[in-house]
Amino acid sequence: KQAKEAAEAAAKAAEEEEERKQREEEDALLQPLEDKATGIVFAPKLGDDDLYFIGVGVRKKAFVSIYSVGMYTSRDVKMSLEDFLEEHDKKEALTFLHDSIQQKLTSSTTMILAEPSKTKQNPFKTSFLLQMAFSVGAETMSSTIAESVGQRYRDGPMEVTELKDLIFAGVKAKGSATKGTTFLFECSSDNGLTVSVDGEVQGTVNSVELASAFVNVYLDEKGASPSLKENILQYCCAP
């Protein structure tokens, strides 16, 4: 029995190693992506979180491009969306993407309550990277994002205010979110919503519900960047 278990373990380890090598080969072929509306470039993967780029869009006010936003998610969500698009229309695919991410955020929260040690090791994450194309004041930038999230959040104003304060704190030192300023919003099933400005972590709002609301800012029917959703479909449909 022990010999059989050892053989099965060795076979599993070999299979995992082969999958790792294949993923590394595929990742080596990935190229930076550009938002055609602003010329801003996004990396194909995000830091050390093993999150993959799936699309980019622009946020406009009147005719002015305010910022570009790139969306990053897990490899399995990206591959599932690509598979789904092969047999379904694009509108259904956006619903599939939205529901898949929301399910992973919320179901992982349930798993944490049942098996905290297991789930904490492998939380689900989806991130949005905003890169400024136009200078916006700290108060305006923080208020606008917080208001968009607040419209989709039902648990009260406290967490929304906390989010606003984190964004404002990251920008106030230089007075405004100048062109080139970056905002990273990490939506996680174990931590909630983490805010970073210019690569520096400002803090975390420990609410998965707020993270879920942030996802909706870009993926629901009234999303802040329609071009992001269009680009996700184009990018994931690409051969």
Side-chain angles (χ1 to χ4, degrees):
K1 182 179 178 180
Q2 290 181 342
K4 181 180 179 181
E5 290 177 348
E8 290 176 349
K12 182 178 180 181
E15 182 179 350
E16 291 175 348
E17 177 64 16
E18 183 63 28
E19 290 178 355
R20 184 188 66 79
K21 289 181 178 179
Q22 181 179 351
R23 182 180 299 189
E24 287 182 349
E25 292 175 357
E26 293 173 353
D27 289 354
L29 299 175
L30 298 174
Q31 299 293 323
L33 290 304
E34 179 183 343
D35 180 5
K36 302 299 183 183
T38 62
I40 294 174
V41 176
F42 288 80
K45 286 186 68 178
L46 190 61
D48 299 324
D49 285 334
D50 206 27
L51 297 182
Y52 289 77
F53 175 93
I54 63 167
V56 64
V58 64
R59 172 59 169 160
K60 289 188 174 184
K61 190 69 172 179
F63 297 103
V64 179
S65 297
I66 306 299
Y67 62 78
S68 292
V69 53
M71 182 177 177
Y72 294 80
T73 193
S74 64
R75 186 171 186 267
D76 66 314
V77 168
K78 179 176 181 291
M79 294 179 67
S80 294
L81 178 60
E82 291 172 352
D83 291 342
F84 189 89
L85 276 164
E86 292 181 0
E87 300 181 2
H88 300 80
D89 65 36
K90 293 182 177 181
K91 185 175 181 179
E92 289 179 314
L94 286 173
T95 300
F96 173 80
L97 174 63
H98 171 271
D99 293 351
S100 295
I101 289 175
Q102 295 293 8
Q103 182 182 28
K104 286 179 178 293
L105 278 174
T106 57
S107 65
S108 293
T109 303
T110 303
M111 289 174 63
I112 287 173
L113 297 175
E115 301 179 84
S117 61
K118 180 178 179 181
T119 310
K120 285 282 186 178
Q121 294 175 3
N122 193 28
F124 174 75
K125 296 179 181 179
T126 282
S127 293
F128 296 85
L129 177 61
L130 280 56
Q131 300 192 62
M132 300 301 296
F134 187 83
S135 182
V136 177
E139 177 64 29
T140 299
M141 189 67 185
S142 58
S143 296
T144 300
I145 293 177
E147 181 180 346
S148 294
V149 176
Q151 292 170 353
R152 298 164 169 86
Y153 184 67
R154 299 180 179 180
D155 288 356
M158 185 172 67
E159 289 83 3
V160 176
T161 300
E162 188 177 352
L163 170 63
K164 178 181 180 295
D165 291 344
L166 291 176
I167 299 169
F168 183 83
V171 180
K172 69 176 181 179
K174 54 184 183 181
S176 63
T178 55
K179 183 177 180 179
T181 300
T182 64
F183 297 87
L184 179 63
F185 297 91
E186 179 186 279
C187 306
S188 170
S189 61
D190 64 342
N191 291 328
L193 182 59
T194 299
V195 180
S196 298
V197 179
D198 288 336
E200 295 187 10
V201 176
Q202 301 302 310
T204 298
V205 183
N206 191 15
S207 168
V208 173
E209 290 76 16
L210 191 75
S212 174
F214 193 94
V215 169
N216 284 338
V217 169
Y218 294 99
L219 291 188
D220 70 12
E221 292 184 356
K222 298 181 179 180
S225 176
S227 59
L228 171 62
K229 293 189 287 186
E230 294 172 6
N231 186 258
I232 287 172
L233 297 175
Q234 294 171 3
Y235 182 74
C236 290
C237 279

